[in-house]
Amino acid sequence: MRQAIVQIIVADVSMSLDNVLAIAGAAAQHTAVLIIGLVLSVALMGVAAGLIAGILKRFHWLAYVGLAVILWVAIDMIYRGSNEALEKMTDCGASCVLHNLPPWV
């Protein structure tokens, strides 16, 4: 039980950090809107973290599905970003680099 509570708190804090930035930007100098938004955000993230933790506890395989999705997105971002960088550096992208490799590679 204690480990679950710690996991929920850590997930809540980590998920709320990006919401803090979004709410601060949307509040645009309105302190009341900022405070209400932050309180609502933390409360909703706490509820969501509890629900997600319960689902993951019941269906362990969902964690692996989530990991696979994150891995897929990360690999895709690395590939697209590196290809974009190569295009800017070489004016032809990864296909040009791959076709012009030395024969020993």
Side-chain angles (χ1 to χ4, degrees), residues 18-28 33-42:
D18 64 335
N19 291 338
V20 168
L21 296 175
I23 292 168
V33 173
L34 177 66
I35 292 169
I36 292 168
L38 289 174
V39 168
L40 186 61
S41 173
V42 170

